[in-house]
Amino acid sequence: MKQVIGFFRDKWYKATIRIKLVCIFMFTCSIIFIVNIFMYLNINTTIDKINEVYISNVNLNELSSALANVQNNMTEYLTTKSSQSLQEYYSSLQEFNEILNTLNTTITDSNILLMEKNIKNMSKTYLEITKETMQAKRGRNVEKYKNYYDKATDLYSYINMYINSLNNEQFRHNSENYKKLLISLGYLEKSATIVLGAVMIVSICMVYMLTYSVTNPLIDLAKSADEIAKGNLEIDLIEVKTLDEVGIVSKAFNQMILSIREYIDKIRINLEAQNKMKEKELIMESHLKDAQLKYLQAQINPHFLFNTLNAGAQLAMMEDAEKTCLFIENMADFFRYNIKKINEDATLAEEIKLVDNYIYILNVRFSGELNFEKIIDESLLKTNVPSMILQPIVENAVNYGIRDIEWEGKIRLKIFKEDNQIYICIEDNGIGIEESKIRSIMNGEIIESDLAKNSNGIGLGNVIRRLRLYYNREDVFEIKSSGRNQGTEVIIHIPYAKDI
Amino acid sequence: MKNVERGQLMKKHKTSKNKGNLLLTIYFMIIVILCLTTFSIFYFKEKFLSIGNSNISDYEQYNKHYVLITNNRDTAFWEVVYESAKEEAKKDSAYIEYMGKDLSINYDIKQYLRIAIDCDVDGIIIEGDESDEVARLIDEAEEKGIRVVTVLKDSLKSNRQSFIGINNYTLGQLYGQQVLEIQDKNTKRILVLMNSNDSVTNQNIIYSSIKETIRNEPQKSKSLQIDNIMVNNENVFSSEEAIRDIIMDEAISPDIMICLSGVDTQCAYQAVVDHNKVGIINILGYYSTSDILTAVQKKIIHSTILIDASQMGSLAVQALNDSIKGNRVSEYLPVDIELITLANVDSYMEKIDEGK
C-alpha cells in the first residue's frame, strides 16, 4: 500500500505544473460527472417506474373501451341487423378476447388481482350471453334475444362498474407507489446533494493541498531571494523536491547562489592578491630609498670626516699653521653642523653661522674672490627655522650664479621684519636665472641628478619642499631674476611669531 | 543563531507533519464518499425494484375463491365475521373476498349475488333475506355448482347448504328476561323496534318470544303493554329519524325500548342522550361496538346482546369447505350469543382493547 502511495507520489513530483493542474481538475470534474450520471440514471429509472405504474390504468382503459365496443356493436346489430355491424361485432369481440387473456386468473390475496379474475370470469359469462343473443337474433327468436340482451346489458353494467372500480383501485395503489417513489426521489436528491457537497469540499481541500505543493516552492524561493537581497548569502539552499517548472527555477536559483558565492570569493582573492602586490611594491620602494640613503650615507660618513678634520686642525695647530688650522676648523664646524642638525630645527643665528663657515671655505678655495655682505636685524636671530635652508641657497647662488662670471661676484644676505613677516633675502649679482627655470624650480621639477653637485646632498627642491611643509604655505619661497647677467634674488618669507 | 535555525527546522517538520495529517484526512474522506455513493446506489436500486407492479409471485396463491355478501349496515360486525372467516378459509387454501369492499358503487344483495354467480366463484356466504329473488339466485348458484351458505339471516326458500346464525327464539327469551328484571311498578310501555329491511319472520319470532317470556310471569307483566313498531326504511337514514320521533312523542314514548340491530341501538342511545331521557327510557340493545359498550358502562343502555361474530365467520367457512368436499353439512349451525350488562361490560371492553 505504501509502495503504491510512494509510486504515485513520485509520479506527482515529477509531473509538470500543467499536468498537475489538469489532473486535479479532471479528478474533481470526473467525480462530479459520475455523481451527476448516477443521479440522472436513477431519475430515469424513477420516471420509467412511474410510467410502468400508470400503464396498468392505460390497459384497463383499453379493456373498457373494447368491452364498450362489443356491447355497442351487438346493440347495433340487434337494431339494424347489418352485416357491417356483425363484422365489427366479431372484430371487437376478438380484440376484447385478446385483452381479456392478459388478465389474471389465479386466486391470490391481492384484491386487484382478484378483481381481474372476477372481471375475466364475468366477461366470459357476458360473452356467452352475447353469443346466445346474436344466435337468437339470427334465429329471429325475439323473446329470447330480448331476454338475453337485458341480461347482457345488466352484466355489461356490472363489468363496467368492476372495471371502473379496478381502475380506481389501481389508481389508488399506483398513487401510493407514486408517493413512495417521490419520497425515494427526495432521498435520492438529498443524498446526491450531500455527496456532491462532500465531493466539492474534498475537491477544494485537494486542490488547496496540491497547489500547496506548487506554491510552496515559490514562496521559499521568494523568501530566499529576500534574504539574498538583504545581503545574507549564507542561506541554506532550497530543497528541490519536484521536477516541474518550479523545481527547475529553484535549481537554477541554487546554482545562482553558488555561482555568486564563488564569484565573490574569486574577487576577494584577487583583491587580496592585488593588495599584496602593492604592499610588495611599496616595501620595495622603501627598501630602494633606504638603499639609496645608505648608499649616499655610505659615501660620506660625516662622523669620520668630522673627526678626521678635527685631528687635522690639531695637527695644523701643532705645526703653528694658524690659517690652516682655522680653515680646517671651519670645515669641521661645517660638517658638524650637518651631522647635528639633520633632524632638528635651527635658529637663524646658527644658520647664518653655517653660511659664514661655507663662505670662508669657498673663499679659501677661490682666493678671496667672493664678496659676502650681511644686513641682519639682530632681534630676529633667535627665530626657529628648519635646518639647512640658507646654506643650500647660498651654494646655489655660488654654483649657478657667480661661477664663471668675469666681474667680481657679490652675495648679500638680508634679514629684516616687515608687516609681521620675516624676510630672508639672498642676493647675488650673477648671470641670473631664466623665467622658465624659475618656474620649473618652483614647481618642484628639479632633476635630482644634480644631487652630485651639492656639497651636502640637499638641493633647492628639497629646501623648498621642507619650507612649504614646515610653514604649511606655498608662498614661503620666492625667486626673482631681472634678467641675464642681472643677478638673482631668493626671498624666503616666514611668519613672525612673537613668543620664540 | 542556532535557536533560530532549530526553530526553522521544527517549523518545517511541523508543516510537513500537518500536511501528512491533512493528506490522510483527505484519503479517508474520499473513501467515505465512495462508500456513501456505492451504498446509496444499491440502496436505491433495491428500493426502486421493490416498488412497481404487483407481481403475482409476490402474493400467496389459493385454490378456492369464496365470497362474502352482506348488506352494508353494521359493517363493524361484518368485519369481524370476515376476518375470522378469512383465517378459517386460509387453513383450507381458500380466499374469501368481501364483496363490495373495493367497488365504487354500493349494490344490494341481489346484485352482488348476480355478480358472484357470473364471476363463477367457488362458494358464497350471504346474509340472506326472505325475498324470492334472492332464493332464486341462490338456487341458480347451486345449479352452477357454487355452494351457498347463509349467515345471520336465512333464505328459507332456497337450496342453500346451511344456515349459520342465532336462534331467534332464544334471543327473544333473553330480551324478555331482561324486561322482567328491569320492570318496576312504573314501567308501562315496552316497545320493540323492527326494521322493514331485516327478515320479518325472524323479527316476528323474536317479538313473540319476548312477549311469551314476559307473559310467563303474569305478576310482573300484568300492567305491561308490549308493542312493536315497524320502521320503514325508505332511505338509509330512516331509523334515526323514526327513533327520534318515537322518543319525542310523549304518547308513544316507551319505558323500555328493545332494539334489534346495532344501528338502531346506536341511534336509540344517541337520541336518548340528546333528549335527556337517560334513565327515563331503558334501552335493550343489540350488538357490541365500543360505543354501545361504553353506553352500557354509563348506564344509558341497560344491556346488549353480543353475537360471536368470529364464530359465525369460521363456522360459515367450515360449512362451505365441508359442502365443497362433498361432506354432509348440517342444516343449521348455531352461533353463541351473550348478554352484556353492567356486570361484565368491563371485561368485554378489555377484550376489545386487546383485540385492537
Side-chain angles (χ1 to χ4, degrees):
Chain A
M1 180 67 178
K2 268 197 175 170
Q3 274 185 344
V4 175
I5 292 180
F7 171 72
F8 273 115
R9 190 169 283 181
D10 273 347
K11 280 256 155 170
W12 182 255
Y13 280 136
K14 287 190 188 131
T16 63
I17 290 184
R18 184 190 294 175
I19 290 182
K20 278 182 195 166
L21 289 176
V22 167
C23 276
I24 295 171
F25 184 69
M26 270 179 55
F27 176 72
T28 48
C29 273
S30 56
I31 287 190
I32 293 178
F33 183 69
I34 288 173
V35 172
N36 267 341
I37 292 274
F38 164 69
M39 262 193 74
Y40 172 74
L41 284 175
N42 274 316
I43 289 177
N44 259 3
T45 320
T46 316
I47 292 178
D48 283 343
K49 277 272 180 282
I50 293 176
N51 281 343
E52 251 178 62
V53 147
Y54 285 107
I55 244 180
S56 53
N57 289 107
V58 171
N59 289 341
L60 273 179
N61 287 339
E62 280 179 14
L63 179 70
S64 173
S65 65
L67 175 66
N69 279 341
V70 172
Q71 176 76 4
N72 290 336
N73 286 329
M74 181 179 72
T75 317
E76 175 102 17
Y77 181 67
L78 290 176
T79 323
T80 63
K81 206 166 176 212
S82 68
S83 52
Q84 190 200 0
S85 54
L86 184 65
Q87 267 187 335
E88 278 178 26
Y89 167 77
Y90 279 121
S91 67
S92 55
L93 190 71
Q94 197 182 10
E95 200 186 315
F96 186 58
N97 263 324
E98 272 172 19
I99 301 179
L100 257 174
N101 286 332
T102 63
L103 290 178
N104 163 56
T105 47
T106 52
I107 306 168
T108 62
D109 54 5
S110 148
N111 55 350
I112 288 178
L113 292 174
L114 220 50
M115 277 169 109
E116 278 185 25
K117 172 179 178 283
N118 284 343
I119 290 174
K120 188 164 188 178
N121 286 339
M122 277 202 286
S123 303
K124 277 197 191 144
T125 319
Y126 169 77
L127 287 179
E128 278 171 23
I129 295 178
T130 57
K131 196 164 112 186
E132 293 284 325
T133 318
M134 299 297 274
Q135 271 188 345
K137 176 75 184 180
R138 271 198 243 118
R140 308 261 168 93
N141 192 343
V142 178
E143 197 62 41
K144 191 176 178 193
Y145 84 65
K146 271 206 186 143
N147 224 355
Y148 271 104
Y149 179 70
D150 288 334
K151 270 197 200 169
T153 313
D154 278 342
L155 199 51
Y156 168 71
S157 67
Y158 290 146
I159 297 175
N160 251 341
M161 186 276 300
Y162 245 92
I163 292 177
N164 283 338
S165 309
L166 180 59
N167 221 356
N168 285 342
E169 250 328 277
Q170 291 267 30
F171 191 74
R172 199 171 51 79
H173 183 65
N174 293 341
S175 301
E176 278 171 15
N177 279 348
Y178 178 73
K179 272 186 213 158
K180 279 190 211 162
L181 277 176
L182 271 185
I183 292 173
S184 294
L185 202 63
Y187 280 136
L188 175 68
E189 277 183 351
K190 275 189 205 137
S191 75
T193 313
I194 289 173
V195 167
L196 212 62
V199 162
M200 253 185 61
I201 292 173
V202 166
S203 310
I204 290 174
C205 290
M206 276 199 73
V207 165
Y208 184 77
M209 256 191 47
L210 291 167
T211 50
Y212 219 65
S213 76
V214 167
T215 56
N216 241 15
L218 286 169
I219 294 172
D220 285 340
L221 206 64
K223 275 195 200 146
S224 304
D226 267 342
E227 283 290 310
I228 290 187
K230 286 184 199 154
N232 174 22
L233 278 174
E234 293 309 313
I235 55 171
D236 301 318
L237 296 180
I238 298 172
E239 197 187 331
V240 177
K241 283 187 282 184
T242 60
L243 290 179
D244 58 4
E245 293 86 337
V246 178
I248 294 173
V249 171
S250 306
K251 269 195 189 161
F253 187 76
N254 286 342
Q255 197 63 39
M256 182 191 77
I257 293 178
L258 290 173
S259 304
I260 289 180
R261 282 192 200 155
E262 260 185 54
Y263 187 65
I264 289 180
D265 280 341
K266 263 197 219 159
I267 290 182
R268 195 164 36 82
I269 290 171
N270 270 350
L271 220 60
E272 278 174 14
Q274 265 189 26
N275 280 347
K276 276 208 182 110
M277 290 265 306
K278 273 220 176 117
E279 256 182 55
K280 271 201 195 142
E281 266 186 32
L282 280 172
I283 291 172
M284 278 298 290
E285 239 185 76
S286 68
H287 279 187
L288 213 65
K289 284 244 163 89
D290 208 31
Q292 239 180 20
L293 197 63
K294 290 230 159 75
Y295 171 67
L296 285 172
Q297 277 186 342
Q299 282 184 332
I300 308 169
N301 187 349
H303 280 108
F304 176 69
L305 203 58
F306 166 65
N307 290 334
T308 315
L309 284 173
N310 272 339
Q314 292 286 338
L315 193 62
M317 178 91 73
M318 282 195 328
E319 290 186 345
D320 293 325
E322 283 184 30
K323 280 192 185 161
T324 312
C325 178
L326 195 61
F327 177 71
I328 294 176
E329 276 182 4
N330 265 321
M331 273 187 75
D333 285 337
F334 182 79
F335 284 118
R336 193 199 305 141
Y337 188 84
N338 233 337
I339 298 164
K340 198 169 145 205
K341 287 293 181 182
I342 200 126
N343 280 328
E344 285 175 15
D345 295 343
T347 57
L348 266 175
E350 288 170 333
E351 284 284 309
I352 295 165
K353 181 142 191 300
L354 185 67
V355 172
D356 285 338
N357 278 342
Y358 180 68
I359 297 289
Y360 180 80
I361 293 169
L362 280 184
N363 266 335
V364 170
R365 273 178 66 188
F366 299 118
S367 38
E369 284 176 10
L370 209 57
N371 200 333
F372 184 57
E373 200 188 335
K374 291 193 288 189
I375 306 172
I376 298 171
D377 185 346
E378 299 285 312
S379 65
L380 303 168
L381 281 175
K382 292 213 176 106
T383 317
N384 275 337
V385 291
S387 61
M388 319 249 245
I389 51 172
L390 298 181
Q391 185 270 328
I393 297 171
V394 171
E395 185 164 350
N396 229 33
V398 167
N399 279 341
Y400 293 106
I402 324 182
R403 193 184 284 263
D404 304 330
I405 59 171
E406 285 140 17
W407 58 91
E408 193 187 348
K410 278 194 188 148
I411 298 183
R412 191 182 325 150
L413 172 66
K414 282 196 290 196
I415 300 180
F416 58 91
K417 185 180 88 176
E418 196 179 297
D419 299 331
N420 240 8
Q421 300 240 40
I422 302 174
Y423 284 89
I424 308 168
C425 305
I426 300 165
E427 262 180 271
D428 69 62
N429 61 349
I431 55 173
I433 309 179
E434 285 171 359
E435 265 310 311
S436 53
K437 198 113 199 245
I438 296 177
R439 254 179 291 166
S440 55
I441 294 171
M442 293 303 284
N443 284 337
E445 285 165 13
I446 304 174
I447 311 162
E448 294 293 356
S449 60
D450 292 337
L451 221 60
K453 283 203 182 157
N454 293 347
S455 61
N456 56 9
I458 296 174
L460 209 51
N462 196 307
V463 170
I464 298 173
R465 275 201 291 274
R466 281 193 291 120
L467 278 171
R468 283 183 177 154
L469 267 173
Y470 190 85
Y471 289 107
N472 218 4
R473 292 165 35 170
E474 290 289 316
D475 62 344
V476 61
F477 197 86
E478 209 182 330
I479 306 177
K480 283 189 189 158
S481 178
S482 323
R484 209 173 157 69
N485 291 341
Q486 299 294 323
T488 317
E489 192 183 354
V490 173
I491 308 172
I492 301 176
H493 26 83
I494 59 182
Y496 173 65
K498 224 179 186 171
D499 45 339
I500 302 161
Chain B
M1 185 67 167
K2 270 200 177 158
N3 273 337
V4 173
E5 275 181 8
R6 206 188 301 157
Q8 278 185 344
L9 209 71
M10 278 188 65
K11 228 208 276 186
K12 269 195 185 168
H13 190 63
K14 243 193 179 179
T15 44
S16 72
K17 209 178 174 193
N18 272 347
K19 229 174 75 162
N21 273 345
L22 201 59
L23 213 70
L24 273 173
T25 327
I26 297 249
Y27 289 149
F28 178 69
M29 281 186 79
I30 290 178
I31 291 175
V32 164
I33 286 176
L34 283 177
C35 288
L36 253 179
T37 321
T38 329
F39 167 75
S40 47
I41 289 174
F42 284 115
Y43 175 69
F44 283 111
K45 271 259 139 57
E46 201 196 299
K47 265 215 158 177
F48 283 157
L49 289 177
S50 71
I51 299 171
N53 284 329
S54 352
N55 277 325
I56 291 178
S57 51
D58 293 340
Y59 297 98
E60 271 186 63
Q61 295 204 351
Y62 301 88
N63 286 332
K64 292 185 285 241
H65 184 189
Y66 295 161
V67 161
L68 173 65
I69 301 177
T70 68
N71 57 41
N72 287 326
R73 309 166 83 223
D74 296 338
T75 41
F77 172 76
W78 289 114
E79 279 290 330
V80 177
V81 174
Y82 174 65
E83 285 301 319
S84 78
K86 204 157 106 173
E87 284 284 328
E88 187 69 32
K90 233 182 185 175
K91 294 179 196 166
D92 209 25
S93 182
Y95 183 74
I96 292 194
E97 179 190 345
Y98 191 163
M99 189 136 259
K101 210 172 179 189
D102 299 320
L103 297 180
S104 42
I105 305 179
N106 283 335
Y107 293 122
D108 60 19
I109 301 182
K110 301 188 203 67
Q111 289 167 310
Y112 284 139
L113 200 42
R114 173 82 253 152
I115 292 171
I117 295 169
D118 288 330
C119 283
D120 200 17
V121 297
D122 297 308
I124 301 177
I125 303 174
I126 183 168
E127 181 188 357
D129 69 8
E130 297 171 326
S131 62
D132 294 332
E133 263 192 73
V134 169
R136 193 178 49 74
L137 284 167
I138 292 177
D139 291 344
E140 189 184 329
E142 283 287 340
E143 273 174 51
K144 220 178 167 183
I146 306 172
R147 298 281 170 257
V148 181
V149 298
T150 47
V151 287
L152 196 66
K153 300 198 184 87
D154 198 9
S155 293
L156 287 163
K157 299 173 195 165
S158 65
N159 289 336
R160 54 114 181 93
Q161 298 294 319
S162 173
F163 169 62
I164 298 98
I166 56 172
N167 189 334
N168 289 317
Y169 186 74
T170 323
L171 181 63
Q173 279 184 321
L174 272 178
Y175 276 133
Q177 279 161 9
Q178 286 300 297
V179 168
L180 289 170
E181 269 184 41
I182 299 173
Q183 71 88 34
D184 57 18
K185 47 190 183 354
N186 287 328
T187 321
K188 295 227 175 54
R189 297 198 61 196
I190 301 172
L191 196 59
V192 178
L193 280 174
M194 298 213 268
N195 256 312
S196 62
N197 249 355
D198 297 338
S199 156
V200 176
T201 324
N202 288 345
Q203 291 178 91
N204 277 331
I205 294 175
I206 300 173
Y207 179 61
S208 26
S209 171
I210 295 174
K211 262 182 36 185
E212 194 183 311
T213 317
I214 296 175
R215 296 293 179 215
N216 269 344
E217 303 246 353
Q219 291 157 304
K220 293 189 184 169
S221 64
K222 245 193 313 192
S223 54
L224 293 177
Q225 188 188 341
I226 310 169
D227 281 320
N228 69 350
I229 189 165
M230 180 68 80
V231 174
N232 258 325
N233 284 10
E234 290 131 11
N235 61 32
V236 190
F237 309 117
S238 334
S239 6
E240 197 270 325
E241 285 165 23
I243 291 169
R244 189 176 160 284
D245 289 338
I246 291 167
I247 291 177
M248 292 298 284
D249 189 352
E250 285 288 335
I252 53 172
S253 158
D255 300 301
I256 303 177
M257 193 189 286
I258 303 178
C259 304
L260 296 182
S261 72
V263 171
D264 288 351
T265 315
Q266 276 177 306
C267 293
Y269 102 75
Q270 194 63 48
V272 158
V273 167
D274 286 343
H275 299 291
N276 279 326
K277 302 280 187 173
V278 179
I280 301 173
I281 301 180
N282 280 311
I283 305 175
L284 296 179
Y286 180 89
Y287 198 46
S288 56
T289 61
S290 54
D291 290 351
I292 295 174
L293 292 178
T294 317
V296 171
Q297 272 184 333
K298 292 188 193 165
K299 298 184 198 165
I300 305 173
I301 300 177
H302 179 264
S303 54
T304 184
I305 303 291
L306 177 73
I307 300 182
D308 194 344
S310 48
Q311 190 193 29
M312 183 183 275
S314 51
L315 279 179
V317 170
Q318 279 171 19
L320 263 185
N321 284 337
D322 286 337
S323 77
I324 284 181
K325 281 179 198 159
N327 299 338
R328 180 109 175 58
V329 183
S330 56
E331 193 61 33
Y332 167 66
L333 292 166
V335 176
D336 299 335
I337 49 175
E338 193 149 347
L339 187 70
I340 299 184
T341 58
L342 196 61
N344 56 7
V345 67
D346 294 323
S347 58
Y348 273 102
M349 293 282 281
E350 275 174 27
K351 267 199 203 158
I352 289 187
D353 286 337
E354 274 172 39
K356 281 186 188 156

